[in-house]
Amino acid sequence: MYTTTAELWAEAQKKEVPLSQIVLESEMKLTGTSQEVVYDRLRVTFAVMKKAAENALEHPLHTVGSLIEGVAQTQYQYSQSGKTLCGPMLNLMMARAFSCSETNAAMGRICAAPTAGASGIVPAVILTVADHLQATEETVLRGLLVSSGIGAVITRNATVSGAEGGCQAECGVAAAMASAAAVEMSGGNGEQAMHAAAFALVNIMGLICDPIAGLVQMPCAQRNASQAMNAMLSADFALAGQKCPIPLDEVIDAMYKTGKMLPMQLRETALGGIAATPTGKRLATQIFTT
Amino acid sequence: MNLSIFDVLGPIMIGPSSSHTAGAARLAYIARQIVSAPYHHVDFYLHGSFAQTYRGHGTDKALVAGALGMREDDERLASSFEMAEDAKLTYQFLPIELENAHENTVKMVFHLDAGGTSVVIGSSLGGARILISEIDGFPTEYNATSPTLLITQQDTRGIISKITSVLAAIEINIGVMKLSRKDRGSIASCIIETDEPIPDEVGEILCRIPQIHRVRIINTY
């Protein structure tokens, strides 16, 4: 049984299996179920993620205050224009992350990963890597297992609540989960997956939670898209052979401590960051007086 | 790891907020089962963050959806107001300040078709987890994660042993048991959480015990 990412990696090394196998065995033991039962539940989870990631690509969804209405469609159409800087694959990934955020804000069905506000990152990354690699369903489910294993350690040892740790604890953690998944799906080893997750958290260390009008829309949707990118580039750092000098467990602890140092104005209260700009405040007043 | 992967990749829910939307739907959904009698109107008294932010997070729609029997992942949740109209269920949202209550707390007053009211108070703790803290004036701590028996009984000697022997006879293991009473010898409340689903016959057998006033069974949570 693991309680840290170091223990997760040590168990995988000892048994000479991928990280996902240790996460799978742990879940079977915890719930007293078989691999097939866990896989079936993961299939349901992934189906919800996929639908949310496609839901808003073709048409805008109505949200309270309309701060992000149509963002997924805009990015999706651009991804097919042939004129993008990041290329069609990564622009489609951004569109998928936007689609999840738009679905969430429009009171559609999503799967929290690890939270509702950050629910676009893991789906966007896993779907994109799966397309790129023409991956099997098994590879996709393994990706979900790795991401949830990393996420479980962070939930247990730190926090995944924006009110407690800022955006780094929600979208940052989702990026760490997704980057570890991307590495295993791409054939990287467990150590590389850990480095990828560490890089993802290092890249976003200290990011505040500053939602306009307190709504889970802006900057949440943009953070979902940008943290999906963070997950991909962090995975590429690790797959290239780069090693994060600070171990993942220490990076997680640093993220947690940094979150605790953030003043309350920067933790989901909408009293700081872009929420506290003159325009942010005006938008909040407009939304709640109409 | 003592945490399920589906607590990390989950819950599957209607957005936008696990605490303000999914948790709110669950609170009213569980309260509906606790009340377990037809009602035509619900007063939702909102405390703390619920009172401040309920409109932006759809807390209001989620509460009404739960009161109509919808789960937190039901895609009809966003149109619960229209569905309430069809079901002739009326409701209102009122601010309240409750002492020592969690930030996201709601007091739900159900107006019963048979007359009178039933009152359930509960909080949304984050990640769609909930805690029911009061049922019809009886304080409790109930998080609705396992099959549950809610019993109202006369506070007399030996009554608890009569209840537990009924459960033992059909081999149902008691996980958690909580008792509370208003005054010595008056009406008391007993919440029993079990490992296995509770068959309806348990309710019938328990109701034959003269000191037992009411039994409610919650198997879906």
Side-chain angles (χ1 to χ4, degrees):
Chain A
M1 291 295 266
Y2 61 94
T3 55
T4 63
T5 61
E7 287 169 11
L8 173 62
W9 168 227
E11 267 191 65
Q13 264 185 311
K14 200 172 84 187
K15 294 185 179 168
E16 295 180 0
V17 293
L19 295 182
S20 60
Q21 185 61 26
I22 303 300
V23 179
L24 173 63
E25 286 171 13
S26 166
E27 180 69 15
M28 285 158 59
K29 197 171 164 190
L30 178 73
T31 54
T33 49
S34 65
Q35 173 173 330
E36 222 18 64
V37 171
V38 176
Y39 268 27
D40 276 345
R41 235 184 129 182
L42 282 172
R43 286 185 185 106
V44 172
T45 300
F46 188 63
V48 172
M49 288 180 166
K50 190 164 185 282
K51 198 173 164 206
E54 291 168 353
N55 210 17
L57 295 181
E58 311 271 359
H59 55 90
L61 302 178
H62 176 68
T63 65
V64 176
S66 305
L67 293 174
I68 58 166
E69 218 165 292
V71 287
Q73 188 188 32
T74 301
Q75 205 65 35
Y76 180 57
Q77 287 174 350
Y78 174 70
S79 77
Q80 297 173 320
S81 68
K83 297 176 192 161
T84 61
L85 292 176
C86 291
M89 176 178 92
L90 294 178
N91 272 281
L92 173 58
M93 181 179 75
M94 297 174 210
R96 284 166 164 159
F98 277 135
S99 175
C100 292
S101 292
E102 213 175 314
T103 299
N104 184 54
M107 296 190 81
R109 189 193 277 144
I110 56 97
C111 177
T115 64
S119 63
I121 297 157
V122 171
V125 170
I126 290 187
L127 283 164
T128 301
V129 174
D131 280 356
H132 180 61
L133 300 171
Q134 294 182 302
T136 60
E137 188 201 42
E138 170 80 15
T139 303
V140 167
L141 300 185
R142 291 273 163 180
L144 288 171
L145 283 166
V146 177
S147 67
S148 59
I150 300 290
V153 171
I154 303 176
T155 304
R156 190 182 180 280
N157 300 346
T159 179
V160 297
S161 151
E164 220 183 324
C167 189
Q168 54 160 8
E170 296 207 22
C171 291
V173 169
M177 292 163 61
S179 64
V183 168
E184 184 169 315
M185 290 173 74
S186 305
N189 63 33
E191 191 179 11
Q192 289 173 312
M194 311 264 292
H195 283 302
F199 281 131
L201 281 176
V202 167
N203 288 343
I204 198 179
M205 187 67 59
L207 191 70
I208 63 166
C209 176
D210 52 349
I212 291 176
L215 300 173
V216 193
Q217 295 189 30
M218 166 81 204
C220 318
Q222 290 74 11
R223 300 263 170 86
N224 272 262
S226 58
Q227 288 315 301
M229 292 292 277
N230 178 18
M232 289 295 265
L233 66 88
S234 296
D236 260 342
F237 286 179
L239 289 166
Q242 307 223 39
K243 293 182 193 306
C244 181
I246 312 296
L248 178 54
D249 288 315
E250 289 185 38
V251 175
I252 291 168
D253 192 46
M255 182 279 289
Y256 189 34
K257 285 181 175 146
T258 303
K260 284 185 177 298
M261 286 179 214
L262 290 176
M264 133 326 241
Q265 288 88 341
L266 306 183
R267 286 183 279 114
E268 213 179 296
T269 51
L271 297 171
I274 62 156
T277 56
T279 305
K281 287 195 266 193
R282 199 187 65 236
L283 285 168
T285 312
Q286 271 174 13
I287 290 166
F288 290 118
T289 49
T290 48
Chain B
M1 182 49 61
N2 57 6
L3 185 69
S4 168
I5 59 170
F6 299 105
D7 288 330
V8 181
L9 296 182
I12 293 170
M13 52 167 271
I14 302 305
S17 161
S18 66
S19 55
H20 286 68
T21 322
R26 268 186 68 66
L27 279 167
Y29 176 81
I30 295 297
R32 172 188 168 93
Q33 300 198 65
I34 291 171
V35 171
S36 73
Y39 46 83
H40 54 271
H41 178 86
V42 190
D43 295 312
F44 296 102
Y45 292 90
L46 305 171
H47 166 85
S49 175
F50 265 10
Q52 301 301 319
T53 64
Y54 75 95
R55 281 196 308 165
H57 290 129
T59 307
D60 46 1
K61 289 179 181 168
L63 286 167
V64 170
L68 288 167
M70 281 181 250
R71 306 286 294 253
E72 70 272 17
D73 66 345
D74 195 318
E75 283 191 303
R76 300 170 301 169
L77 194 147
S79 50
S80 67
F81 287 178
E82 291 80 9
M83 290 177 68
E85 210 173 316
D86 292 343
K88 296 200 169 23
L89 176 74
T90 56
Y91 50 85
Q92 60 178 334
F93 302 96
L94 304 148
I96 193 173
E97 296 242 354
L98 297 165
E99 263 182 61
N100 300 321
H102 181 279
E103 265 297 284
N104 296 327
T105 299
V106 57
K107 175 179 173 181
M108 294 165 271
V109 180
F110 294 84
H111 296 256
L112 307 176
D113 290 357
T117 59
S118 189
V119 182
V120 179
I121 302 177
S123 308
S124 175
L125 307 179
R129 287 173 299 117
I130 61 161
L131 183 74
I132 301 288
S133 53
E134 196 177 307
I135 300 170
D136 292 330
F138 292 102
T140 186
E141 281 180 14
Y142 172 50
N143 54 24
T145 54
S146 43
T148 305
L149 264 175
L150 295 174
I151 302 169
T152 322
Q153 80 275 10
Q154 204 65 36
D155 180 34
T156 53
R157 279 191 192 85
I159 181 70
I160 298 305
S161 118
K162 282 182 191 166
I163 293 170
T164 55
S165 61
V166 169
L167 293 175
I170 53 164
E171 299 190 339
I172 285 182
N173 188 41
I174 295 176
V176 180
M177 180 159 171
K178 291 187 193 94
L179 291 166
S180 65
R181 60 182 182 184
K182 285 181 176 165
D183 293 298
R184 193 168 169 174
S186 72
I187 293 177
S189 157
C190 173
I191 292 189
I192 297 173
E193 295 176 51
T194 67
D195 294 340
E196 297 85 13
I198 304 158
D200 287 342
E201 57 168 305
V202 172
E204 290 158 26
I205 300 168
L206 285 170
C207 281
R208 280 183 223 136
I209 301 172
Q211 298 89 344
I212 288 182
H213 298 300
R214 191 171 177 204
V215 178
R216 287 164 280 185
I217 296 171
I218 299 177
N219 277 324
T220 50
Y221 41 85

